[in-house]
């Protein structure tokens, strides 16, 4: 059973608007969360992370929100750009275990 | 970019043949991982290593074995390939250590394996 779930396989957004990608997890031991971005024929690249001691982390156009009580995190991209079109994976780990669990990914399409 | 390479990048093989994929890093990171990516499943951990000769199983380890005799190399072996092992395989590295920023993984470019 998947411990990290991304229930939206795809998302289409107009350029300049906000993109919101969602992720849910089931394991309460997870305390570190990451988002990765993947272009076709390339490996995933790290985007942004958040520790469970925070509920928000911001890096430029990217903000990750964590709701521990709901076991839910989201990635906000504002404003969205066509170059953001990619597959986004969320991942979770228990901080000291260095073992990561990934969601199934959400394919974001930003239309010009 | 983290120095991580995978070889081969593409391979076509037949059912029942052994296959070895290689991951090589130049970052001296402690942790190395093998994942497979399949539609609808995202990235699933096969095996990982936390040091030379120290390995452990992931979510989907059946049919796979690994070895790490040097810090820089992590090998994934399919002893007898099956069609269900057709996938894209990614290697990743991580410094580990449990400190801020050490949980990030850096991924290789992937190996596309087709088992006929």
């Amino acid at each position: 059973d998947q411990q990290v779930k991304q229930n939206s396989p795809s998302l289409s957004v107009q350029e300049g608007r906000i993109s919101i990608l969602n992720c849910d997890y089931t394991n309460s031991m997870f305390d570190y969360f990451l988002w990765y971005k993947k272009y076709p024929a390339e490996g995933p690249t790290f985007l942004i992370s958040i520790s469970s001691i925070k509920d928000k982390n911001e890096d430029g156009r990217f903000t990750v929100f964590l709701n521990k009580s709901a076991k839910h995190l989201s990635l906000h991209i504002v404003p969205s750009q066509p170059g953001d079109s990619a597959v986004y994976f969320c991942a979770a780990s228990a901080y000291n275990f260095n073992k990561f669990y990934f969601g199934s990914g959400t394919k974001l399409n930003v239309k010009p | 970019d983290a120095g991580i390479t995978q070889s081969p990048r593409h391979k076509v093989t037949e059912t029942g043949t052994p296959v070895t994929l290689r991951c090589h890093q130049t970052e001296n990171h402690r942790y190395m991982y093998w994942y497979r990516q399949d539609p609808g499943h995202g990235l699933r951990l096969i095996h990982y290593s936390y040091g030379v000769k120290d390995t452990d199983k992931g979510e989907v380890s059946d049919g796979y074995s690994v070895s790490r005799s040097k810090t820089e190399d992590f090998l994934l072996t399919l002893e007898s390939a099956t069609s269900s092992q057709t996938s894209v395989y990614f290697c990743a590295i991580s410094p580990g250590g449990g400190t801020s920023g050490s949980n990030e993984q850096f991924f290789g470019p992937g190996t596309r394996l087709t088992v006929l």
Side-chain angles (χ1 to χ4, degrees):
Chain A
D1 193 27
Q2 274 193 299
Q3 299 188 56
V4 178
K5 297 180 182 179
Q6 294 175 258
N7 292 318
S8 298
S10 63
L11 175 68
S12 188
V13 171
Q14 203 68 37
E15 180 179 6
R17 299 289 186 98
I18 184 171
S19 295
I20 300 176
L21 295 92
N22 294 304
C23 180
D24 297 293
Y25 62 96
T26 56
N27 190 337
S28 58
M29 294 297 291
F30 289 151
D31 54 10
Y32 192 73
F33 305 89
L34 310 92
W35 284 94
Y36 288 84
K37 178 179 180 179
K38 185 184 180 304
Y39 293 117
E42 294 183 9
T45 55
F46 171 76
L47 194 57
I48 192 169
S49 63
I50 188 167
S51 165
S52 61
I53 61 174
K54 296 184 176 182
D55 54 18
K56 176 183 173 181
N57 189 27
E58 195 170 349
D59 184 2
R61 296 186 297 114
F62 302 91
T63 303
V64 56
F65 295 92
L66 175 62
N67 182 334
K68 290 185 289 293
S69 60
K71 293 191 179 69
H72 176 84
L73 64 154
S74 61
L75 174 69
H76 292 211
I77 306 174
V78 182
S80 301
Q81 300 173 353
D84 295 330
S85 297
V87 177
Y88 290 79
F89 292 100
C90 69
S93 76
Y95 200 62
N96 290 324
F97 293 98
N98 292 287
K99 198 170 173 180
F100 298 83
Y101 296 86
F102 283 78
S104 54
T106 296
K107 185 174 184 178
L108 174 65
N109 179 33
V110 180
K111 296 177 287 187
Chain B
D1 289 347
I4 176 169
T5 57
Q6 293 183 231
S7 59
R9 293 294 312 279
H10 301 270
K11 186 169 182 68
V12 179
T13 190
E14 294 189 349
T15 297
T17 59
V19 176
T20 295
L21 308 182
R22 180 182 184 235
C23 177
H24 180 78
Q25 61 146 330
T26 58
E27 304 296 320
N28 201 36
H29 283 346
R30 179 182 175 190
Y31 288 82
M32 299 186 75
Y33 306 81
W34 277 108
Y35 292 91
R36 59 179 289 174
Q37 185 195 5
D38 304 290
H41 291 280
L43 292 158
R44 291 181 293 175
L45 181 65
I46 304 171
H47 283 280
Y48 70 104
S49 169
Y50 47 95
V52 173
K53 294 191 184 345
D54 292 323
T55 64
D56 203 354
K57 294 180 180 179
E59 304 168 77
V60 289
S61 58
D62 288 347
Y64 302 94
S65 62
V66 290
S67 66
R68 191 170 178 199
S69 58
K70 299 185 288 185
T71 298
E72 57 265 35
D73 288 324
F74 193 33
L75 304 180
L76 176 71
T77 298
L78 291 64
E79 301 289 349
S80 177
T82 67
S83 58
S84 65
Q85 293 175 311
T86 292
S87 186
V88 180
Y89 291 85
F90 288 100
C91 176
I93 61 175
S94 173
T99 58
S100 177
S102 65
N103 275 9
E104 298 169 20
Q105 289 185 309
F106 303 94
F107 283 82
T111 294
R112 183 171 292 276
L113 176 67
T114 302
V115 183
L116 301 175

